[in-house]
Amino acid sequence: MDREKVRVCFYPENRCIEVDKGENLLRAAMKADVHINASCGGEGYCGKCRVIIEKGEVKQRLQVKLSQEEIKQGYTLACCSTVESDVDVRIPIESQIGDKGVLLRRPPIPLKGYTLSAKDWAERLPQWELNPPTAKFHLILDKPSLEDNISDAERIKRGLAKLADLKDVVIDYPMLSALPSMVRAASFDVTVTVLDRGMEQRAVRLEKGDTTPRQAAIAIDLGTTTVSAQLIDLQTGRVIAEASDYNGQISYGEDVITRIIYSTRSTGLAKLQSAAVNTIWNLIQQMVEKTGIEFCSITHLCISGNTTMIHLLLGLDPRYIRVDPYIPAATHFPWIKASNIGIRIASGVYLRCTPCVASYVGGDIVAGVLASGMFNSEKLTLYIDIGTNGEMVLGNKEWMLSCSCSAGPAFEGAGVKHGMRATRGAIEQVRINEVTKEPMIITIGNRRPIGICGSGLIDLLAELFLTGVIDERGKIDVDLDTPRTRVGESGSEYVLVWADESGTNRDIVITEADIDNLMRAKAAVYAGIQILLQEVGMKIEDVEEILIAGAFGRYLEIDKAIIIGLLPDVDTEKIKFVGNGSLLGSYLMALSKNLIKEADRIANMMTYLELSVNPRFMEQYVSALFLPHTHKEMFPTVLQRLEEARAAAGLGPLERGSELS
Amino acid sequence: MAFESVKETTESRIREVALGTGELKVGGENVLAFHLFEGEMPNRPLIAVEVYDYYPEEWSDAVKEPLADVLSDPVAWAKKAQDEWGADLIALRLKSTDPKGMDRSLEEAVETVKAVVDAVNIPVMIYGSEDVEKDGEVMKAVAAACEGKNVIIGPALEDNYKTIGAAAIGYNHTVAAKTPIDVNLAKQLNILLSNLGVDTEKILIDPTTGALGYGLEYTYSVMERLKIAALRQDDSMTQMPLIADVGTEVWKAKEAKTPASEEPLWGDEKKRGVIWEIVTATALLMAGADIVIMRHPDAIKAVRKVIDNMLS
Ligand code: FES
């Protein structure tokens, strides 16, 4: 149901915006691109975001930073207020910083970022149905007698055939060994869990009495940098808990290559395997504790990850992935017992890893393509996963071409001095004033900032560029008249948050080295897109839909991603978000065995393009290593925004004497 | 019916850049090098003659010998280049300012520059020692001292383009922008310079030169691709005239400078280096160089003849 809308007008900017009733006032200002000083992420700590409510009603949290007198005069802290009716807000001079910049800022391009959700599945995923690969059957078996003297195992099979028309069920060996005592202890009133492995039905667990109402599964996105998990109630299909953490393997290397190298050391592979298993186990434990379900209600796991991650998890030797001609041990993986790799949840819990395409396009991409419904689409679609490896897929229901470019983990907040995952206290939105270069920040959870997450980094990079703090190469101008740019211990940097306003008591900065990492990441992604298009002789204009997956925060502002040249300058209507495609695909497969079959089909139909032997990739990469791009004419809207930003900052127009129209 | 050859014509042109204060211009062509059947080259490719600001002891005898009378005097050297070898412009190299070498001061550098600029009536380009920091300072001083002369200063590199670009803007000079053999990097530096405020009609591209046997083919293809981008794709940020830095690179090659006593099979040392320089310069002229910087008088004369023949 749509929420009630209210109108917020900011003065002296005279800019109005419609927001949901109950929206935080500082966030409303961010949406309207109205600059209010905000340094503490919206915790109510810095006291800088004071505004005067001239008309209308806001709800306020306790505002210790304001005196009685001020409150009487109508002052409030924007970050501690929610909008309850149409309001007029005046931003007093001291909150505006800089007097001329404020009036000139361009009205924001409305965020058209549309995130795919359950309601899109009917259309995009007609194959979807709630029919998980494991099912529980409550059997009240006839007690054996001299007349009915078949074995315990046959008795179970007969029960399953009668109840669910299941033929030729195979009984798992561990279940067999427990069978005689168990059925008798349960007085022949048991629940059997049956796993549908595609070619075979296998009874994997026996429980006393009726446990059918309690059935859960786990979906996992096993990323190089981040691991995310969901606990799913198989009766309703709902996610009942979520958790995520950095991959414990990070201490052995940040990217897949260093991990592969590590795995070739004596006990390296075992160490990496157990690091992944531990990370997964901790997440499972957290979710189980949070929800209070029993471990034994979990019946299966669906895991998607890139090819190397899956090899390491399964203990398969990944060394040939790294060397020409880049051959993985396997791309399709059987259902295996979770306990075989050390995930000991309960007896008879099986796991399945999503099939991979090639060494550098893995099950995470297959899962994402599955979840996005791209494989059903008539439209020419570009699927981009912006993670540690930037992978992308171009195609539709007829054909798919994929490639991978090592973007590095910068957009996940790793490899960046004050980068972090998108969790509480992470700066997720940034504005910078053109004139004063002062920032306005909002954090996840409105906490004092402790770091910057992926979406915050993209926002920040775009704002630094628009306001002239960095140039086209990402070099910081330390000669600017602001204390925010300086030469720190690790080179030039921009201070986003001063120590006394941060949650870490340290300055939160972005360094030139961080910016380099971000630039490399965005250049790799953009170059990959260009190569895919070139390969099939198409242009970006031919693409009808662009689907973005990746572990960003809640916001990825599309226009900011275009400004930095991470995404092509296309009609923003074409761009949609999948969220964490790998996790979403895992979730869908955990619930629907049809989709498991579809995933196999997708993996088989995808063609893989190896970029490391493609001479044009380097060329494309170097030209993308510039803001927004060396061929800036491919980014007309960005050029226009730059002109406006430069005008607002009182700088001259771009490129004297050139043809720019 | 007579045979009609296929013509590829274009609306795009290389920018015409005025050098010095006289009539001399470079660039302006709307065709790939010497494709006169498709368009025009209103200005002929130019030969800039190298002059060093100190006695280059380390040079090979093969090239020191014909220059012996002027090597220790940049002014005499420049005049001889102008009067006897027909230099179109002088390429003065302030090698002696290199902090890792002789580390001459700004004042000394400026003095040499002034003396040379005043002594000749052809335009002068001034290259620093390619020390990022020092070049910035030197070019600032040089630009100020040469105000009104429209000299070419450089090379502006990615790490000092701001200082050198600002000096050029301040005193209205032309900038040579140098990047390491890459089309994209060349274009990027031009964008940075023009965003800084340098007039796009006062920029020359030095895409870095490899001599024959030392990467000539890379320079060739980068130059050709820059010209193709400029003319066929109308890429405004590559439409600057190109500089090929031939002399210095050629005479670094061991094939050019090794004496016959060490390598008797390589042939006459007096001809070998000259041929090396002619081949490199000619190849790069075919790739689209608008200015070739050269060293040996015999090579200069031969390449001038090549240009004459190609244009007639
Ligand atoms: S008090 Fe509102 S942002 Fe700090």
Side-chain angles (χ1 to χ4, degrees), chain A residues 96 194 274 398 490 529:
Chain A
Q96 279 176 14
V194 178
S274 79
E398 309 287 340
S490 38
I529 297 173

Side-chain angles (χ1 to χ4, degrees), chain A residues 197-210:
Chain A
R197 306 221 284 187
M199 29 240 329
E200 166 211 271
Q201 306 280 340
R202 178 173 289 237
V204 294
R205 190 195 293 170
L206 185 68
E207 288 163 300
K208 261 189 227 170
D210 182 6

Side-chain angles (χ1 to χ4, degrees), chain A residues 26 37-50 65 77-80 441:
Chain A
L26 189 63
N37 267 0
S39 305
C40 67
E43 196 186 288
Y45 178 83
C46 71
K48 283 195 179 156
C49 63
R50 51 186 66 196
K65 290 282 163 181
L77 293 180
C79 71
C80 297
I441 57 161

